[in-house]
Amino acid sequence: MDEPRRTGRPADILLVEDNPGDVRLTREAFEDGAIDNTLHVTTDGVEALDFLHRRGEYEDAPRPDIVLLDLNLPRKDGDEVLDEIRADPGLERLPVIVLTSSQAEEDVAKSYDLRANAFLTKPIDPDEFIGVIKSFQQFWLSIVRLPPCTEE
């Protein structure tokens, strides 16, 4: 299997997604892909930030190599999560890819204003959704050189 950044370890991916169907499809796509990875899932913005800051039940969580972030989340939305990530010196270089059902131009603009690394719209068709995830995986975990982790 290809190895991210030639580190010899699986890529750690944090998926922040509250829709169980989208979580299932994302898992399926990553499992079918050629790149070794570990997919971690949180279901709202508060949990995502706890994971990233290693708080509470996530105190032993690994630092993810990349975050897939939905915008429409309970408790704290994706924009708020992205804003907090970019405001934290220990997380500000962490690649964050917005993966959402929104096609609204204002959501695209705001995500990039908040320094998202990319904005992907989830296709409605399950096969197309899996294709998008596989393309993400190939590009971001095989071709792109990710920044080194910055510890807090």
Side-chain angles (χ1 to χ4, degrees):
M1 293 203 165
D2 292 334
E3 295 169 350
R5 297 179 295 148
R6 310 258 188 261
T7 62
R9 65 171 181 77
D12 280 301
I13 302 158
L14 175 59
L15 173 64
V16 187
E17 174 60 67
D18 64 323
N19 181 318
D22 289 348
V23 170
R24 182 184 54 76
L25 287 173
T26 303
R27 277 193 196 283
E28 184 180 318
F30 277 117
E31 287 169 2
D32 289 347
I35 299 167
D36 198 12
N37 68 81
T38 304
L39 185 66
H40 308 274
V41 178
T42 59
T43 58
D44 66 50
V46 172
E47 282 183 16
L49 290 166
D50 285 348
F51 186 100
L52 292 169
H53 291 291
R54 299 177 178 148
R55 296 186 293 234
E57 68 180 284
Y58 300 108
E59 68 181 336
D60 295 324
R63 173 74 66 220
D65 296 295
I66 199 160
V67 175
L68 281 170
L69 178 65
D70 189 18
L71 291 181
N72 303 310
L73 298 167
R75 298 203 297 164
K76 190 170 282 215
D77 70 28
D79 289 336
E80 293 172 294
V81 172
L82 183 54
D83 192 38
E84 287 191 36
I85 289 170
R86 294 304 183 231
D88 185 314
L91 298 172
E92 67 183 343
R93 288 189 297 183
L94 178 63
V96 178
I97 311 306
V98 172
L99 179 65
T100 185
S101 56
S102 174
Q103 295 184 17
E105 290 300 321
E106 58 268 15
D107 287 339
V108 175
K110 186 169 185 181
S111 293
Y112 283 114
D113 286 347
L114 292 170
R115 297 181 13 229
N117 296 87
F119 189 100
L120 303 174
T121 300
K122 299 177 203 173
I124 295 171
D125 178 77
D127 291 332
E128 289 179 23
F129 183 97
I130 289 171
V132 166
I133 297 300
K134 286 182 177 181
S135 294
F136 156 84
Q137 182 182 32
Q138 181 63 32
F139 181 74
W140 283 97
L141 300 178
S142 180
I143 296 171
V144 170
R145 182 168 177 185
L146 298 173
C149 292
T150 305
E151 293 299 322
E152 296 175 24

